Amino acid sequence: MIRDLELAFIKIHILYHADKEAVFGVGLMDELARHGYEIGPGTLYPLLSKLQKGGWLTCETQIVGHKQRKYYHLTPEGRLLLAGMRQKIKELYQEVIEG
Ligand SMILES: [Zn+2]
Protein backbone atom coordinates (compact mmCIF):
# COMPACT_ATOMS: atom_id res chain seq x y z
CA MET A 1 0.00 0.00 0.00
CA ILE A 2 2.78 2.45 0.91
CA ARG A 3 4.47 1.46 -2.36
CA ASP A 4 1.27 2.17 -4.34
CA LEU A 5 1.08 5.66 -2.91
CA GLU A 6 4.77 6.28 -3.51
CA LEU A 7 4.50 5.04 -7.08
CA ALA A 8 1.83 7.66 -7.76
CA PHE A 9 4.15 10.38 -6.44
CA ILE A 10 7.01 8.93 -8.47
CA LYS A 11 4.93 9.02 -11.67
CA ILE A 12 4.05 12.65 -11.08
CA HIS A 13 7.74 13.46 -10.53
CA ILE A 14 8.59 11.75 -13.82
CA LEU A 15 5.93 13.68 -15.75
CA TYR A 16 7.03 16.94 -14.15
CA HIS A 17 10.71 16.46 -14.98
CA ALA A 18 10.00 15.18 -18.49
CA ASP A 19 8.11 18.42 -19.09
CA LYS A 20 11.09 20.55 -18.06
CA GLU A 21 13.71 18.64 -20.04
CA ALA A 22 14.41 15.26 -21.65
CA VAL A 23 14.96 12.68 -18.93
CA PHE A 24 16.68 9.30 -18.89
CA GLY A 25 16.56 6.33 -16.53
CA VAL A 26 19.72 6.79 -14.47
CA GLY A 27 19.16 10.54 -14.18
CA LEU A 28 15.62 9.95 -12.93
CA MET A 29 16.80 7.39 -10.39
CA ASP A 30 19.27 9.96 -9.00
CA GLU A 31 16.63 12.65 -8.92
CA LEU A 32 14.10 10.39 -7.21
CA ALA A 33 16.70 9.24 -4.68
CA ARG A 34 17.27 12.91 -3.87
CA HIS A 35 13.59 13.02 -2.89
CA GLY A 36 13.94 9.87 -0.78
CA TYR A 37 12.42 7.39 -3.26
CA GLU A 38 14.45 4.24 -3.70
CA ILE A 39 13.61 2.96 -7.15
CA GLY A 40 15.63 0.46 -9.16
CA PRO A 41 15.71 -0.12 -12.92
CA GLY A 42 13.38 -3.13 -12.51
CA THR A 43 10.64 -0.78 -11.33
CA LEU A 44 11.53 2.39 -13.20
CA TYR A 45 11.80 1.07 -16.76
CA PRO A 46 8.44 -0.75 -16.75
CA LEU A 47 6.94 2.45 -15.31
CA LEU A 48 8.45 4.54 -18.11
CA SER A 49 7.15 2.15 -20.74
CA LYS A 50 3.68 2.27 -19.13
CA LEU A 51 3.70 6.07 -19.28
CA GLN A 52 4.84 5.79 -22.88
CA LYS A 53 2.08 3.33 -23.78
CA GLY A 54 -0.42 5.67 -22.14
CA GLY A 55 0.69 8.31 -24.64
CA TRP A 56 2.13 10.65 -21.99
CA LEU A 57 5.80 10.19 -22.81
CA THR A 58 7.70 9.74 -26.05
CA CYS A 59 11.04 8.09 -26.21
CA GLU A 60 14.03 8.80 -28.41
CA THR A 61 17.31 6.90 -28.43
CA GLN A 62 20.56 8.83 -28.54
CA ILE A 63 24.15 7.66 -28.54
CA VAL A 64 26.05 8.98 -25.53
CA GLY A 65 29.69 7.98 -25.56
CA HIS A 66 29.37 4.51 -27.03
CA LYS A 67 26.15 3.71 -25.27
CA GLN A 68 22.57 4.05 -26.38
CA ARG A 69 20.51 6.11 -24.03
CA LYS A 70 16.74 6.47 -24.10
CA TYR A 71 15.49 9.99 -23.52
CA TYR A 72 11.89 10.61 -22.58
CA HIS A 73 9.85 13.74 -23.28
CA LEU A 74 6.38 14.75 -22.19
CA THR A 75 3.76 14.65 -24.99
CA PRO A 76 0.94 17.20 -25.34
CA GLU A 77 -1.37 14.60 -23.73
CA GLY A 78 1.14 14.25 -20.90
CA ARG A 79 1.11 18.00 -20.45
CA LEU A 80 -2.69 17.95 -20.13
CA LEU A 81 -2.51 15.13 -17.61
CA LEU A 82 0.12 17.01 -15.61
CA ALA A 83 -2.02 20.15 -15.61
CA GLY A 84 -4.94 18.14 -14.21
CA MET A 85 -2.71 16.54 -11.61
CA ARG A 86 -1.36 19.95 -10.56
CA GLN A 87 -4.88 21.02 -9.74
CA LYS A 88 -5.45 17.87 -7.69
CA ILE A 89 -2.12 18.27 -5.89
CA LYS A 90 -3.04 21.86 -5.04
CA GLU A 91 -6.36 20.74 -3.59
CA LEU A 92 -4.74 17.90 -1.70
CA TYR A 93 -2.07 20.23 -0.36
CA GLN A 94 -4.65 22.74 0.81
CA GLU A 95 -6.56 20.04 2.65
CA VAL A 96 -3.80 17.82 4.02
CA ILE A 97 -1.08 20.39 4.71
CA GLU A 98 -2.84 23.65 5.27
CA GLY A 99 -5.85 22.02 6.93
ZN1 LIG B 1 11.76 15.79 -8.68
Side-chain angles (χ1 to χ4, degrees), residues 14-15 18 21-26 28 44-63 68-78:
I14 294 172
L15 296 175
E21 62 200 347
V23 294
F24 59 96
V26 177
L28 279 173
L44 182 65
Y45 287 103
L47 209 62
L48 286 169
S49 98
K50 246 190 216 172
L51 292 171
Q52 202 184 335
K53 281 191 191 117
W56 300 311
L57 292 180
T58 51
C59 176
E60 128 191 60
T61 304
Q62 283 183 27
I63 311 291
Q68 288 198 344
R69 183 177 274 174
K70 283 184 165 183
Y71 282 94
Y72 298 86
H73 305 259
L74 202 64
T75 62
E77 291 81 5

Side-chain angles (χ1 to χ4, degrees), residues 29-96:
M29 281 187 265
D30 288 348
E31 165 64 17
L32 289 163
R34 200 173 67 81
H35 290 293
Y37 300 108
E38 290 297 330
I39 181 167
T43 306
L44 182 65
Y45 287 103
L47 209 62
L48 286 169
S49 98
K50 246 190 216 172
L51 292 171
Q52 202 184 335
K53 281 191 191 117
W56 300 311
L57 292 180
T58 51
C59 176
E60 128 191 60
T61 304
Q62 283 183 27
I63 311 291
V64 178
H66 292 289
K67 283 186 180 171
Q68 288 198 344
R69 183 177 274 174
K70 283 184 165 183
Y71 282 94
Y72 298 86
H73 305 259
L74 202 64
T75 62
E77 291 81 5
R79 207 154 284 134
L80 276 177
L81 177 73
L82 184 61
M85 286 297 128
R86 263 201 182 98
Q87 195 50 45
K88 289 187 193 297
I89 291 165
K90 199 170 161 190
E91 247 186 77
L92 189 67
Y93 182 87
Q94 284 168 349
E95 183 157 303
V96 174

